[in-house]
């Protein structure tokens, strides 16, 4: 069923109430597809009941390192590319600057990527096993989708796609919970998940929750009549693609561990 989020808003200025309705529809859509494809996917189902081997979590983490290392820089590139829009909205620019900085300097420079390495070492990986790792195609695809939208898509396609960060926050909660409960990993060894659920979903040390900023920017773009999308794209589609690639990330790891599909020997 396609809702408000799948309409074409190119060149249309929405009232704040109309924009709110579109955002509410998109949020609902995101949580539905994330639940279906991500949380009910077999990687996370097996993780919740403890049948997913630790090896799968390690392979996932090698790929996740590659993803995090680039995605945060893409957001910095968006800061440069979308500057004209943010010049007219200094209050949003302040939060965007905080978002980019948060990923780079929190808790200490170079930011979240340092915690990704620490988390990987807690899983038993060496830094080299993460840094020099050749990402799986399904995992790299998630990154390449964002790279494509950033360089060839429109401004609103980037922000709608980035709203998947809300699902990433919920996922971090889920993943951290399973590591704690099912895999009995002590609290101090799941630092990435604790920090990430908070950064993406809650206001922290004066920094707006990352997902909240994404939705706020998307709303402002709709109000300004700047929500033009390429043929075959709409806002709901951007969320659907971002979430599908996120879900495939886990499916690729799962297939490689179970030696299915391309990984059959
Ligand atoms: Fe992050
Ligand atoms: Fe984030």
């Amino acid at each position: 069923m396609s809702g408000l989020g799948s309409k074409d808003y190119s060149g249309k200025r929405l009232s704040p109430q109309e924009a709110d309705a579109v955002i509410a529809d998109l949020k609902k859509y995101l949580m539905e597809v994330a639940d279906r494809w991500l949380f009910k996917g077999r990687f996370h189902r097996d993780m919740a009941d403890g049948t997913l081997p630790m090896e799968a979590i390690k392979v996932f983490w090698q790929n996740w390192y590659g993803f995090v290392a680039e995605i945060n820089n893409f957001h910095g590139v968006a800061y440069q590319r979308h500057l004209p829009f943010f010049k007219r909205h200094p209050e949003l620019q302040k939060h965007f600057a905080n978002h980019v900085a948060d990923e780079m300097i929190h808790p200490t420079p170079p930011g979240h990527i340092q915690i990704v390495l620490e988390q990987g070492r807690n899983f038993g990986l060496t830094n080299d096993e993460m840094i020099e790792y050749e990402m799986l195609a399904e995992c790299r695809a998630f990154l390449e989708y964002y790279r494509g939208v950033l360089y060839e898509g429109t401004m609103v396609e980037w922000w709608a796609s980035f709203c998947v960060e809300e699902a990433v926050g919920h996922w971090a909660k889920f993943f951290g919970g399973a590591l704690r409960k099912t895999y009995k990993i002590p609290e101090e060894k799941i630092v990435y998940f604790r920090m990430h659920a908070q950064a993406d979903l809650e206001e922290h040390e004066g920094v707006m929750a990352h997902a909240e900023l994404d939705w706020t920017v998307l709303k402002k773009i709709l109000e300004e009549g700047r929500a033009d999308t390429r043929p075959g794209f709409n806002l709901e589609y951007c969320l659907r693609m971002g979430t599908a690639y996120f879900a495939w990330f886990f499916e690729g790891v799962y297939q490689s561990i179970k030696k299915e599909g391309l990984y059959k020997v």
Side-chain angles (χ1 to χ4, degrees), residues 64 68 71-72 99 102-104 106 111-113 116 165 168 192 195-196 199-200 210:
W64 194 244
V68 175
I71 193 74
N72 288 336
H99 184 164
D102 200 35
E103 304 282 7
M104 303 291 176
H106 188 84
H112 288 190
I113 196 66
V116 175
E165 203 169 14
V168 176
Y192 177 84
M195 181 195 70
H196 230 273
D200 288 343
H210 297 177

Side-chain angles (χ1 to χ4, degrees), residues 64 67-77 95-116 158-159 162 164-166 168-169 192 195-201 204 207-211 213-214:
W64 194 244
F67 177 73
V68 175
E70 287 197 50
I71 193 74
N72 288 336
N73 293 330
F74 290 166
H75 220 37
V77 172
H95 293 301
F96 188 14
N98 246 340
H99 184 164
V100 173
D102 200 35
E103 304 282 7
M104 303 291 176
I105 64 174
H106 188 84
T108 51
H112 288 190
I113 196 66
Q114 200 58 36
I115 303 293
V116 175
W158 172 260
W159 285 93
F162 220 79
V164 170
E165 203 169 14
E166 167 124 14
V168 176
Y192 177 84
M195 181 195 70
H196 230 273
Q198 190 199 40
D200 288 343
L201 301 176
H204 49 289
V207 181
M208 189 189 256
H210 297 177
L213 171 70
D214 303 333

Side-chain angles (χ1 to χ4, degrees), residues 1-9 14 16-34 36 160 163 166 215 218-219 222 234-240 243:
M1 207 185 74
S2 41
L4 278 179
S6 62
K7 296 214 163 66
D8 180 11
Y9 295 103
L14 269 55
Q17 293 77 8
E18 288 169 327
D20 274 336
V22 175
I23 299 297
D25 182 71
L26 287 169
K27 267 191 195 175
K28 188 165 154 278
Y29 181 82
L30 172 66
M31 293 328 290
E32 279 168 11
V33 286
R36 212 152 16 109
C163 284
E166 167 124 14
W215 295 115
L218 188 58
K219 183 181 171 204
L222 282 163
N234 59 49
L235 307 183
E236 185 184 288
Y237 179 80
C238 291
L239 286 174
R240 182 155 76 245
T243 312

Side-chain angles (χ1 to χ4, degrees), residues 74-93:
F74 290 166
H75 220 37
V77 172
Y79 191 87
Q80 190 261 334
R81 292 176 76 98
H82 303 160
L83 186 68
F85 178 81
F86 285 92
K87 273 183 172 172
R88 294 212 170 96
H89 300 288
E91 77 294 350
L92 283 181
Q93 189 175 12

